[in-house]
């Protein structure tokens, strides 16, 4: 669930500025992208770090799985695939 905060607009020189609560966790100097959509404003960090999924603990969930060797990762060039058949006309024929 998202939090709701109040922010205040004030004059800063010849511009307007938006004072954001410290609780948002933004760092001073963070460049923000501002979009207006039908009277609503959306603020996002310009260089928002991509979220990463930590998969380091997944290996313990399936101990029977072992990493493939380089040879096992190689695919055969003559691997039989239905779409390689010159007479195949697509998945619609299989329904």
């Amino acid at each position: 669930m998202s939090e709701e905060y109040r922010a205040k607009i004030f004059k800063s020189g010849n511009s307007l500025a938006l004072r954001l609560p410290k609780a948002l966790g933004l760092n001073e100097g963070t460049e923000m992208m501002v979009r207006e959509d039908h009277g609503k404003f959306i603020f996002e960090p310009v260089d928002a770090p991509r979220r990463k999924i930590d998969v380091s603990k997944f290996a313990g969930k399936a101990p029977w799985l072992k990493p493939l060797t380089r040879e096992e990762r190689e695919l055969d060039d003559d691997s039989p695939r239905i779409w390689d058949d010159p007479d195949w006309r697509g998945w619609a024929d299989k329904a």
Side-chain angles (χ1 to χ4, degrees):
M1 184 169 78
S2 63
E3 297 280 334
E4 190 172 295
Y5 297 96
R6 285 186 174 249
K8 192 168 196 164
I9 295 177
F10 64 96
K11 187 164 174 80
S12 176
N14 288 330
S15 300
L16 294 177
L18 180 64
R19 181 171 290 140
L20 299 171
K22 187 177 185 177
L24 291 175
L26 297 171
N27 295 323
E28 183 179 345
T30 301
E31 188 177 358
M32 303 292 283
M33 178 67 67
V34 181
R35 275 194 320 252
E36 186 269 332
D37 184 26
H38 302 289
K40 293 190 179 207
F41 296 94
I42 300 167
F43 296 82
E44 297 176 316
V46 170
D47 293 317
R50 293 188 177 265
R51 296 178 185 229
K52 295 183 179 178
I53 298 172
D54 181 13
V55 296
S56 62
K57 297 182 181 102
F58 287 180
K61 303 291 182 195
W64 61 89
L65 293 178
K66 303 291 180 215
L68 296 175
T69 65
R70 178 172 294 281
E71 293 78 26
E72 292 172 324
R73 284 185 266 152
E74 298 289 327
L75 297 176
D76 296 331
D77 289 336
D78 58 344
S79 157
R81 295 177 295 252
I82 192 169
W83 52 85
D84 289 336
D85 183 350
D87 297 327
W88 186 66
R89 289 182 282 180
W91 296 110
D93 291 347
K94 304 300 174 207

